[in-house]
Amino acid sequence: TFLLTNSNWEYTSVAMNFLYHGRKVDEETMKKNEWMDLFDVVVVGSCKPAYLLDKYLSLFRVRPEDGSLLNTDGLFEIEALGENGAQKFLEQGKVFQGGNYQHLTKMLEIDAGE
């Protein structure tokens, strides 16, 4: 399963923690982001509808601890990891910003039509 939203990490984290816990939570609990266990991949700042149309959008890894962004090589990085590349890629973190539908289908190891 995946979460795909146009909202940036900071808002998504607050909103999803509220929905998951059913109330506003303290900062310590919020940093745990327990709601992320519900998803295989979380994509924030997706810029829909461009996410579905522009295959040249860059994919960044989000550090949930502080919201900072790290560059990825996206599809090339997944392929370079070899066998089980998507799994290895997601073991490094499953929260991303931007990218496009090709990144998502590669990370979920699914095929999508045109």
Side-chain angles (χ1 to χ4, degrees), residues 3-9 41-48 50-52 54 56-62 69-70 72 95-104 107:
L3 173 65
L4 179 68
T5 177
N6 282 352
S7 299
N8 286 325
W9 171 250
V41 177
V42 175
V43 180
V44 300
S46 65
C47 299
K48 292 176 286 178
Y51 188 89
L52 303 171
D54 188 346
Y56 299 107
L57 293 174
S58 296
L59 181 69
F60 299 91
R61 192 179 299 280
V62 176
L69 302 178
L70 304 168
T72 74
V95 183
F96 300 90
Q97 180 170 307
N100 60 59
Y101 73 95
Q102 292 176 324
H103 295 119
L104 182 63
M107 288 186 284

mmCIF file of all heavy atoms in Angstrom, residues 3-9 41-48 50-52 54 56-62 69-70 72 95-104 107:
data_model
loop_
_atom_site.group_PDB
_atom_site.id
_atom_site.type_symbol
_atom_site.label_atom_id
_atom_site.label_comp_id
_atom_site.label_asym_id
_atom_site.label_seq_id
_atom_site.Cartn_x
_atom_site.Cartn_y
_atom_site.Cartn_z
ATOM 1 N N LEU A 3 0.848 5.832 0.279
ATOM 2 C CA LEU A 3 0.206 7.122 0.496
ATOM 3 C C LEU A 3 0.861 8.087 -0.472
ATOM 4 O O LEU A 3 2.095 8.194 -0.509
ATOM 5 C CB LEU A 3 0.416 7.601 1.936
ATOM 6 C CG LEU A 3 -0.059 9.023 2.244
ATOM 7 C CD1 LEU A 3 -1.572 9.130 2.117
ATOM 8 C CD2 LEU A 3 0.380 9.434 3.642
ATOM 9 N N LEU A 4 0.064 8.765 -1.275
ATOM 10 C CA LEU A 4 0.550 9.732 -2.257
ATOM 11 C C LEU A 4 -0.202 11.030 -2.026
ATOM 12 O O LEU A 4 -1.422 11.080 -2.171
ATOM 13 C CB LEU A 4 0.301 9.206 -3.674
ATOM 14 C CG LEU A 4 0.729 10.100 -4.829
ATOM 15 C CD1 LEU A 4 2.248 10.206 -4.898
ATOM 16 C CD2 LEU A 4 0.186 9.551 -6.149
ATOM 17 N N THR A 5 0.530 12.084 -1.641
ATOM 18 C CA THR A 5 -0.109 13.355 -1.333
ATOM 19 C C THR A 5 0.697 14.525 -1.885
ATOM 20 O O THR A 5 1.915 14.434 -2.009
ATOM 21 C CB THR A 5 -0.307 13.520 0.193
ATOM 22 O OG1 THR A 5 -0.880 14.801 0.463
ATOM 23 C CG2 THR A 5 1.006 13.392 0.948
ATOM 24 N N ASN A 6 0.008 15.607 -2.176
ATOM 25 C CA ASN A 6 0.687 16.833 -2.612
ATOM 26 C C ASN A 6 1.248 17.603 -1.424
ATOM 27 O O ASN A 6 2.085 18.486 -1.602
ATOM 28 C CB ASN A 6 -0.268 17.734 -3.390
ATOM 29 C CG ASN A 6 -0.482 17.260 -4.814
ATOM 30 O OD1 ASN A 6 0.186 16.351 -5.286
ATOM 31 N ND2 ASN A 6 -1.425 17.869 -5.495
ATOM 32 N N SER A 7 0.805 17.301 -0.227
ATOM 33 C CA SER A 7 1.279 18.006 0.971
ATOM 34 C C SER A 7 2.728 17.655 1.267
ATOM 35 O O SER A 7 3.167 16.538 0.997
ATOM 36 C CB SER A 7 0.422 17.636 2.181
ATOM 37 O OG SER A 7 -0.924 18.010 1.963
ATOM 38 N N ASN A 8 3.448 18.599 1.828
ATOM 39 C CA ASN A 8 4.839 18.342 2.217
ATOM 40 C C ASN A 8 4.894 17.521 3.498
ATOM 41 O O ASN A 8 3.886 17.319 4.176
ATOM 42 C CB ASN A 8 5.602 19.655 2.369
ATOM 43 C CG ASN A 8 5.922 20.271 1.021
ATOM 44 O OD1 ASN A 8 6.176 19.553 0.058
ATOM 45 N ND2 ASN A 8 5.914 21.580 0.950
ATOM 46 N N TRP A 9 6.080 17.035 3.846
ATOM 47 C CA TRP A 9 6.263 16.139 4.976
ATOM 48 C C TRP A 9 5.735 16.717 6.282
ATOM 49 O O TRP A 9 5.047 16.030 7.042
ATOM 50 C CB TRP A 9 7.729 15.742 5.135
ATOM 51 C CG TRP A 9 7.949 14.996 6.409
ATOM 52 C CD1 TRP A 9 8.607 15.428 7.517
ATOM 53 C CD2 TRP A 9 7.438 13.700 6.734
ATOM 54 N NE1 TRP A 9 8.550 14.474 8.508
ATOM 55 C CE2 TRP A 9 7.838 13.398 8.050
ATOM 56 C CE3 TRP A 9 6.680 12.760 6.038
ATOM 57 C CZ2 TRP A 9 7.500 12.213 8.676
ATOM 58 C CZ3 TRP A 9 6.359 11.569 6.672
ATOM 59 C CH2 TRP A 9 6.766 11.303 7.976
ATOM 60 N N VAL A 41 5.114 2.496 1.093
ATOM 61 C CA VAL A 41 5.774 3.681 0.546
ATOM 62 C C VAL A 41 4.920 4.899 0.858
ATOM 63 O O VAL A 41 3.689 4.848 0.745
ATOM 64 C CB VAL A 41 5.952 3.573 -0.987
ATOM 65 C CG1 VAL A 41 6.562 4.839 -1.560
ATOM 66 C CG2 VAL A 41 6.784 2.368 -1.371
ATOM 67 N N VAL A 42 5.579 5.999 1.247
ATOM 68 C CA VAL A 42 4.903 7.280 1.475
ATOM 69 C C VAL A 42 5.562 8.306 0.556
ATOM 70 O O VAL A 42 6.775 8.492 0.603
ATOM 71 C CB VAL A 42 5.028 7.727 2.949
ATOM 72 C CG1 VAL A 42 4.415 9.116 3.145
ATOM 73 C CG2 VAL A 42 4.381 6.713 3.884
ATOM 74 N N VAL A 43 4.746 8.952 -0.287
ATOM 75 C CA VAL A 43 5.256 9.990 -1.184
ATOM 76 C C VAL A 43 4.536 11.287 -0.861
ATOM 77 O O VAL A 43 3.309 11.373 -0.967
ATOM 78 C CB VAL A 43 5.044 9.631 -2.675
ATOM 79 C CG1 VAL A 43 5.590 10.743 -3.568
ATOM 80 C CG2 VAL A 43 5.700 8.301 -3.003
ATOM 81 N N VAL A 44 5.305 12.291 -0.451
ATOM 82 C CA VAL A 44 4.762 13.617 -0.149
ATOM 83 C C VAL A 44 5.227 14.588 -1.236
ATOM 84 O O VAL A 44 6.112 14.273 -2.023
ATOM 85 C CB VAL A 44 5.210 14.103 1.247
ATOM 86 C CG1 VAL A 44 4.722 13.148 2.331
ATOM 87 C CG2 VAL A 44 6.715 14.275 1.337
ATOM 88 N N GLY A 45 4.612 15.767 -1.277
ATOM 89 C CA GLY A 45 5.020 16.769 -2.259
ATOM 90 C C GLY A 45 5.033 16.214 -3.669
ATOM 91 O O GLY A 45 5.956 16.477 -4.436
ATOM 92 N N SER A 46 3.996 15.463 -4.033
ATOM 93 C CA SER A 46 4.019 14.729 -5.300
ATOM 94 C C SER A 46 3.707 15.576 -6.532
ATOM 95 O O SER A 46 3.945 15.126 -7.643
ATOM 96 C CB SER A 46 3.041 13.556 -5.235
ATOM 97 O OG SER A 46 1.715 14.033 -5.111
ATOM 98 N N CYS A 47 3.184 16.757 -6.336
ATOM 99 C CA CYS A 47 2.885 17.648 -7.478
ATOM 100 C C CYS A 47 1.919 17.021 -8.482
ATOM 101 O O CYS A 47 2.088 17.179 -9.691
ATOM 102 C CB CYS A 47 4.157 18.094 -8.178
ATOM 103 S SG CYS A 47 5.264 19.027 -7.143
ATOM 104 N N LYS A 48 0.914 16.309 -7.975
ATOM 105 C CA LYS A 48 -0.097 15.773 -8.891
ATOM 106 C C LYS A 48 -0.770 16.963 -9.593
ATOM 107 O O LYS A 48 -0.970 17.974 -8.956
ATOM 108 C CB LYS A 48 -1.146 14.952 -8.140
ATOM 109 C CG LYS A 48 -0.613 13.677 -7.552
ATOM 110 C CD LYS A 48 -1.669 12.946 -6.749
ATOM 111 C CE LYS A 48 -1.851 13.685 -5.466
ATOM 112 N NZ LYS A 48 -2.750 13.321 -4.512
ATOM 113 N N ALA A 50 1.195 16.371 -12.312
ATOM 114 C CA ALA A 50 2.478 16.164 -12.995
ATOM 115 C C ALA A 50 3.096 14.823 -12.613
ATOM 116 O O ALA A 50 3.782 14.201 -13.428
ATOM 117 C CB ALA A 50 3.441 17.303 -12.696
ATOM 118 N N TYR A 51 2.865 14.347 -11.389
ATOM 119 C CA TYR A 51 3.389 13.067 -10.917
ATOM 120 C C TYR A 51 3.034 11.936 -11.879
ATOM 121 O O TYR A 51 3.806 10.999 -12.066
ATOM 122 C CB TYR A 51 2.824 12.769 -9.516
ATOM 123 C CG TYR A 51 3.440 11.573 -8.846
ATOM 124 C CD1 TYR A 51 4.580 11.722 -8.070
ATOM 125 C CD2 TYR A 51 2.893 10.303 -8.974
ATOM 126 C CE1 TYR A 51 5.163 10.624 -7.443
ATOM 127 C CE2 TYR A 51 3.467 9.205 -8.346
ATOM 128 C CZ TYR A 51 4.599 9.376 -7.586
ATOM 129 O OH TYR A 51 5.175 8.299 -6.973
ATOM 130 N N LEU A 52 1.859 12.047 -12.461
ATOM 131 C CA LEU A 52 1.364 10.995 -13.363
ATOM 132 C C LEU A 52 1.773 11.209 -14.815
ATOM 133 O O LEU A 52 1.576 10.325 -15.647
ATOM 134 C CB LEU A 52 -0.165 10.931 -13.268
ATOM 135 C CG LEU A 52 -0.705 10.680 -11.857
ATOM 136 C CD1 LEU A 52 -2.205 10.861 -11.826
ATOM 137 C CD2 LEU A 52 -0.308 9.311 -11.361
ATOM 138 N N ASP A 54 4.821 13.518 -15.905
ATOM 139 C CA ASP A 54 6.194 13.965 -16.169
ATOM 140 C C ASP A 54 7.199 12.938 -15.659
ATOM 141 O O ASP A 54 7.462 12.842 -14.465
ATOM 142 C CB ASP A 54 6.429 15.315 -15.507
ATOM 143 C CG ASP A 54 7.761 15.945 -15.873
ATOM 144 O OD1 ASP A 54 8.630 15.245 -16.427
ATOM 145 O OD2 ASP A 54 7.935 17.140 -15.575
ATOM 146 N N TYR A 56 10.287 12.978 -15.834
ATOM 147 C CA TYR A 56 11.593 13.557 -15.511
ATOM 148 C C TYR A 56 11.644 14.216 -14.120
ATOM 149 O O TYR A 56 12.640 14.829 -13.781
ATOM 150 C CB TYR A 56 11.994 14.578 -16.580
ATOM 151 C CG TYR A 56 12.123 13.941 -17.940
ATOM 152 C CD1 TYR A 56 11.172 14.163 -18.918
ATOM 153 C CD2 TYR A 56 13.179 13.078 -18.221
ATOM 154 C CE1 TYR A 56 11.277 13.554 -20.161
ATOM 155 C CE2 TYR A 56 13.284 12.458 -19.456
ATOM 156 C CZ TYR A 56 12.325 12.709 -20.421
ATOM 157 O OH TYR A 56 12.433 12.092 -21.634
ATOM 158 N N LEU A 57 10.592 14.088 -13.334
ATOM 159 C CA LEU A 57 10.594 14.673 -11.991
ATOM 160 C C LEU A 57 11.569 13.925 -11.085
ATOM 161 O O LEU A 57 11.625 12.697 -11.112
ATOM 162 C CB LEU A 57 9.187 14.637 -11.387
ATOM 163 C CG LEU A 57 8.149 15.523 -12.079
ATOM 164 C CD1 LEU A 57 6.769 15.279 -11.488
ATOM 165 C CD2 LEU A 57 8.531 16.985 -11.957
ATOM 166 N N SER A 58 12.305 14.668 -10.290
ATOM 167 C CA SER A 58 13.303 14.073 -9.388
ATOM 168 C C SER A 58 12.660 13.506 -8.132
ATOM 169 O O SER A 58 11.682 14.050 -7.618
ATOM 170 C CB SER A 58 14.333 15.130 -8.993
ATOM 171 O OG SER A 58 15.052 15.555 -10.121
ATOM 172 N N LEU A 59 13.255 12.433 -7.634
ATOM 173 C CA LEU A 59 12.798 11.775 -6.420
ATOM 174 C C LEU A 59 13.798 12.057 -5.297
ATOM 175 O O LEU A 59 15.001 11.874 -5.467
ATOM 176 C CB LEU A 59 12.710 10.258 -6.641
ATOM 177 C CG LEU A 59 12.231 9.423 -5.468
ATOM 178 C CD1 LEU A 59 10.751 9.681 -5.197
ATOM 179 C CD2 LEU A 59 12.459 7.940 -5.753
ATOM 180 N N PHE A 60 13.280 12.494 -4.161
ATOM 181 C CA PHE A 60 14.110 12.754 -2.993
ATOM 182 C C PHE A 60 13.648 11.874 -1.847
ATOM 183 O O PHE A 60 12.462 11.621 -1.681
ATOM 184 C CB PHE A 60 14.000 14.225 -2.555
ATOM 185 C CG PHE A 60 14.454 15.188 -3.602
ATOM 186 C CD1 PHE A 60 13.558 15.715 -4.521
ATOM 187 C CD2 PHE A 60 15.786 15.548 -3.682
ATOM 188 C CE1 PHE A 60 13.972 16.589 -5.506
ATOM 189 C CE2 PHE A 60 16.220 16.427 -4.659
ATOM 190 C CZ PHE A 60 15.306 16.953 -5.582
ATOM 191 N N ARG A 61 14.589 11.413 -1.037
ATOM 192 C CA ARG A 61 14.268 10.656 0.175
ATOM 193 C C ARG A 61 14.070 11.670 1.300
ATOM 194 O O ARG A 61 14.837 12.618 1.418
ATOM 195 C CB ARG A 61 15.410 9.711 0.515
ATOM 196 C CG ARG A 61 15.073 8.692 1.579
ATOM 197 C CD ARG A 61 16.238 7.766 1.844
ATOM 198 N NE ARG A 61 16.654 6.990 0.687
ATOM 199 C CZ ARG A 61 16.055 5.881 0.259
ATOM 200 N NH1 ARG A 61 15.015 5.417 0.889
ATOM 201 N NH2 ARG A 61 16.506 5.232 -0.801
ATOM 202 N N VAL A 62 13.035 11.486 2.104
ATOM 203 C CA VAL A 62 12.751 12.370 3.235
ATOM 204 C C VAL A 62 13.233 11.695 4.511
ATOM 205 O O VAL A 62 12.937 10.523 4.746
ATOM 206 C CB VAL A 62 11.236 12.672 3.358
ATOM 207 C CG1 VAL A 62 10.944 13.516 4.583
ATOM 208 C CG2 VAL A 62 10.716 13.353 2.101
ATOM 209 N N LEU A 69 15.747 16.610 3.063
ATOM 210 C CA LEU A 69 15.692 15.835 1.826
ATOM 211 C C LEU A 69 17.079 15.351 1.428
ATOM 212 O O LEU A 69 18.057 16.082 1.572
ATOM 213 C CB LEU A 69 15.122 16.689 0.689
ATOM 214 C CG LEU A 69 13.733 17.273 0.907
ATOM 215 C CD1 LEU A 69 13.333 18.123 -0.290
ATOM 216 C CD2 LEU A 69 12.715 16.179 1.150
ATOM 217 N N LEU A 70 17.124 14.131 0.916
ATOM 218 C CA LEU A 70 18.360 13.551 0.410
ATOM 219 C C LEU A 70 18.149 13.180 -1.048
ATOM 220 O O LEU A 70 17.099 12.643 -1.421
ATOM 221 C CB LEU A 70 18.734 12.297 1.208
ATOM 222 C CG LEU A 70 18.861 12.468 2.719
ATOM 223 C CD1 LEU A 70 18.950 11.108 3.400
ATOM 224 C CD2 LEU A 70 20.068 13.308 3.033
ATOM 225 N N THR A 72 18.297 11.116 -4.464
ATOM 226 C CA THR A 72 18.369 9.712 -4.877
ATOM 227 C C THR A 72 18.607 9.701 -6.385
ATOM 228 O O THR A 72 18.390 10.706 -7.061
ATOM 229 C CB THR A 72 17.072 8.922 -4.594
ATOM 230 O OG1 THR A 72 16.081 9.315 -5.542
ATOM 231 C CG2 THR A 72 16.572 9.128 -3.184
ATOM 232 N N VAL A 95 10.054 7.007 2.884
ATOM 233 C CA VAL A 95 9.362 8.286 2.708
ATOM 234 C C VAL A 95 10.108 9.093 1.661
ATOM 235 O O VAL A 95 11.321 9.294 1.755
ATOM 236 C CB VAL A 95 9.276 9.078 4.030
ATOM 237 C CG1 VAL A 95 8.486 10.361 3.827
ATOM 238 C CG2 VAL A 95 8.651 8.240 5.131
ATOM 239 N N PHE A 96 9.350 9.576 0.665
ATOM 240 C CA PHE A 96 9.945 10.296 -0.452
ATOM 241 C C PHE A 96 9.173 11.570 -0.744
ATOM 242 O O PHE A 96 8.005 11.698 -0.371
ATOM 243 C CB PHE A 96 9.949 9.408 -1.702
ATOM 244 C CG PHE A 96 10.723 8.143 -1.507
ATOM 245 C CD1 PHE A 96 10.108 7.003 -1.040
ATOM 246 C CD2 PHE A 96 12.084 8.109 -1.747
ATOM 247 C CE1 PHE A 96 10.820 5.838 -0.823
ATOM 248 C CE2 PHE A 96 12.817 6.948 -1.536
ATOM 249 C CZ PHE A 96 12.179 5.818 -1.073
ATOM 250 N N GLN A 97 9.838 12.476 -1.439
ATOM 251 C CA GLN A 97 9.174 13.678 -1.931
ATOM 252 C C GLN A 97 9.384 13.741 -3.435
ATOM 253 O O GLN A 97 10.482 13.501 -3.933
ATOM 254 C CB GLN A 97 9.736 14.940 -1.289
ATOM 255 C CG GLN A 97 9.038 16.211 -1.799
ATOM 256 C CD GLN A 97 9.415 17.429 -1.013
ATOM 257 O OE1 GLN A 97 9.302 17.441 0.212
ATOM 258 N NE2 GLN A 97 9.863 18.451 -1.707
ATOM 259 N N GLY A 98 8.299 14.078 -4.141
ATOM 260 C CA GLY A 98 8.384 14.244 -5.587
ATOM 261 C C GLY A 98 8.419 12.927 -6.312
ATOM 262 O O GLY A 98 7.807 11.953 -5.911
ATOM 263 N N GLY A 99 9.176 12.898 -7.398
ATOM 264 C CA GLY A 99 9.253 11.707 -8.219
ATOM 265 C C GLY A 99 8.077 11.619 -9.168
ATOM 266 O O GLY A 99 7.379 12.598 -9.423
ATOM 267 N N ASN A 100 7.852 10.421 -9.681
ATOM 268 C CA ASN A 100 6.762 10.208 -10.626
ATOM 269 C C ASN A 100 6.258 8.769 -10.520
ATOM 270 O O ASN A 100 6.793 7.970 -9.756
ATOM 271 C CB ASN A 100 7.214 10.542 -12.048
ATOM 272 C CG ASN A 100 8.383 9.692 -12.496
ATOM 273 O OD1 ASN A 100 8.293 8.470 -12.526
ATOM 274 N ND2 ASN A 100 9.495 10.330 -12.839
ATOM 275 N N TYR A 101 5.234 8.483 -11.327
ATOM 276 C CA TYR A 101 4.601 7.167 -11.253
ATOM 277 C C TYR A 101 5.586 6.027 -11.534
ATOM 278 O O TYR A 101 5.430 4.927 -11.014
ATOM 279 C CB TYR A 101 3.407 7.092 -12.210
ATOM 280 C CG TYR A 101 3.813 7.007 -13.668
ATOM 281 C CD1 TYR A 101 3.908 5.773 -14.301
ATOM 282 C CD2 TYR A 101 4.124 8.145 -14.405
ATOM 283 C CE1 TYR A 101 4.295 5.682 -15.628
ATOM 284 C CE2 TYR A 101 4.510 8.056 -15.730
ATOM 285 C CZ TYR A 101 4.596 6.835 -16.337
ATOM 286 O OH TYR A 101 4.986 6.754 -17.643
ATOM 287 N N GLN A 102 6.616 6.275 -12.345
ATOM 288 C CA GLN A 102 7.581 5.217 -12.635
ATOM 289 C C GLN A 102 8.371 4.828 -11.389
ATOM 290 O O GLN A 102 8.659 3.651 -11.180
ATOM 291 C CB GLN A 102 8.535 5.662 -13.746
ATOM 292 C CG GLN A 102 7.845 5.804 -15.089
ATOM 293 C CD GLN A 102 8.791 6.328 -16.152
ATOM 294 O OE1 GLN A 102 9.653 7.157 -15.881
ATOM 295 N NE2 GLN A 102 8.617 5.856 -17.373
ATOM 296 N N HIS A 103 8.714 5.815 -10.563
ATOM 297 C CA HIS A 103 9.399 5.511 -9.303
ATOM 298 C C HIS A 103 8.504 4.650 -8.417
ATOM 299 O O HIS A 103 8.949 3.658 -7.842
ATOM 300 C CB HIS A 103 9.761 6.797 -8.551
ATOM 301 C CG HIS A 103 10.752 7.648 -9.262
ATOM 302 N ND1 HIS A 103 10.472 8.931 -9.660
ATOM 303 C CD2 HIS A 103 12.027 7.408 -9.652
ATOM 304 C CE1 HIS A 103 11.536 9.450 -10.260
ATOM 305 N NE2 HIS A 103 12.492 8.533 -10.271
ATOM 306 N N LEU A 104 7.231 5.054 -8.308
ATOM 307 C CA LEU A 104 6.304 4.335 -7.438
ATOM 308 C C LEU A 104 6.117 2.894 -7.893
ATOM 309 O O LEU A 104 6.208 1.970 -7.074
ATOM 310 C CB LEU A 104 4.956 5.057 -7.386
ATOM 311 C CG LEU A 104 3.901 4.436 -6.479
ATOM 312 C CD1 LEU A 104 4.361 4.447 -5.023
ATOM 313 C CD2 LEU A 104 2.578 5.174 -6.624
ATOM 314 N N MET A 107 9.248 0.888 -7.071
ATOM 315 C CA MET A 107 9.411 0.609 -5.642
ATOM 316 C C MET A 107 8.433 -0.457 -5.161
ATOM 317 O O MET A 107 8.774 -1.266 -4.288
ATOM 318 C CB MET A 107 9.239 1.888 -4.819
ATOM 319 C CG MET A 107 10.400 2.850 -4.952
ATOM 320 S SD MET A 107 10.281 4.275 -3.850
ATOM 321 C CE MET A 107 9.052 5.280 -4.654
#
